[in-house]
């Protein structure tokens, strides 16, 4: 088995390598990479491994960017200090999600899972089970974690009024009109936030209490007038207009 490790903390990367080799010393570590850039430089010029061990938050971005760029189909074991990326990890071909700090038992268990999943058989049942586990974990979240400097603090989902994507950065605005950058994709927030939120378009998710009124807009789209300060127009597409109005009256 050939493994690539993606981890921006050198000591953690070395510890991970040591633990992997303790479990199975026949495993070949092809390389350890600390950033999105370094990982892509290697992976675009070399044959892909059999398995990735990858952190998520790297020095120059999220490791999901790597796997999107290489159109990855190789299994990934994500090793991270944060649990808010569980659904994204599954969508990125993740087969396990280890929270730091991990130990030899956890590494042994996850390598055994990889070997079991890669046996020549129908994996659909096991993958559905993994998806359900990850989805249940996310659906139980009532708060988002916001990172500011060295501090991490929770914001209740119910206090969020708008979530939006701008230049690849996801932000939320709360009911007190404060803006926070968050380490969630808009797709993940769409799964987490709940029924009081609606995905107006690819860039914006809105809470019903942020809405003042809705009016007809160009080409049968809807223009949403909101209570909070926001520089962009909130527009619902023609295709989603009917569902949006049904959601608004529910």
């Amino acid at each position: 088995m050939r493994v690539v490790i993606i981890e921006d903390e050198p000591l953690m990367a070395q510890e991970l390598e040591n633990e992997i080799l303790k479990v199975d010393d026949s495993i070949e570590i092809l390389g350890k990479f600390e950033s999105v850039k370094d990982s892509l430089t290697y992976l675009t010029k070399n044959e892909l491994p059999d398995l990735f061990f990858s952190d998520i938050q790297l020095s120059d971005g999220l490791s999901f960017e790597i796997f999107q760029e290489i159109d990855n189909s190789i299994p990934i074991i994500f090793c991270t200090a944060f649990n808010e990326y569980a659904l994204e990890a599954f969508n990125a071909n993740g087969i396990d999600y280890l929270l730091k700090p991990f130990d030899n038992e956890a590494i042994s268990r996850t390598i055994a899972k990889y070997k079991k999943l890669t046996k020549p058989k129908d994996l659909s049942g096991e993958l559905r089970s993994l998806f359900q586990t990850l989805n249940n974990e996310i659906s139980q979240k009532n708060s988002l974690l916001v990172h500011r400097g060295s501090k991490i603090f929770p914001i209740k989902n119910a206090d969020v009024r708008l979530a939006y994507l701008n230049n690849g950065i996801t932000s939320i605005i709360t009911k007190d009109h404060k803006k926070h950058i968050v380490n969630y994709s808009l797709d993940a927030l769409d799964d987490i936030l709940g029924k009081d939120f609606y995905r107006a378009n690819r860039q914006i998710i809105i809470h019903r209490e942020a809405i003042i009124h809705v009016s007809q807009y160009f080409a049968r789209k809807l223009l949403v007038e909101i209570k909070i300060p926001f520089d962009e127009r909130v527009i619902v597409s023609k295709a989603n207009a009917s569902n949006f109005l049904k959601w608004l009256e529910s």
Side-chain angles (χ1 to χ4, degrees), residues 26-37:
S26 69
I27 293 174
E28 180 185 2
I29 306 298
L30 297 178
K32 301 193 291 289
F33 305 98
E34 299 182 11
S35 67
V36 172
K37 181 180 178 181

Side-chain angles (χ1 to χ4, degrees), residues 194-225:
K195 63 183 180 180
D196 287 328
F197 293 82
Y198 191 89
R199 181 76 174 264
N201 52 54
R202 295 185 67 180
Q203 286 76 40
I204 297 172
I205 299 173
I206 190 166
H207 191 288
R208 65 174 68 252
E209 291 188 9
I211 298 171
I212 300 174
H213 60 75
V214 180
S215 57
Q216 294 293 330
Y217 191 61
F218 177 74
R220 299 175 66 182
K221 299 175 184 178
L222 297 176
L223 177 63
V224 184
E225 186 75 19

Side-chain angles (χ1 to χ4, degrees), residues 55-56 79-84 97-101:
D55 196 356
I56 294 178
C79 308
T80 177
F82 306 101
N83 64 7
E84 66 263 30
Y97 196 88
L98 302 183
L99 290 176
K100 299 175 181 177

Side-chain angles (χ1 to χ4, degrees), residues 89-103:
F90 176 81
N91 290 335
N93 218 40
I95 62 168
D96 211 346
Y97 196 88
L98 302 183
L99 290 176
K100 299 175 181 177
F102 45 77
D103 54 22

Side-chain angles (χ1 to χ4, degrees), residues 107-125:
I107 299 298
S108 179
R109 207 164 42 238
T110 199
I111 290 176
K113 176 184 284 190
Y114 164 78
K115 291 179 178 179
K116 184 178 180 181
L117 287 173
T118 52
K119 285 182 179 179
K121 63 174 183 174
D122 179 14
L123 304 183
S124 59

Side-chain angles (χ1 to χ4, degrees), residues 26 46 96 167 182:
S26 69
N46 294 275
D96 211 346
N167 293 325
V182 295

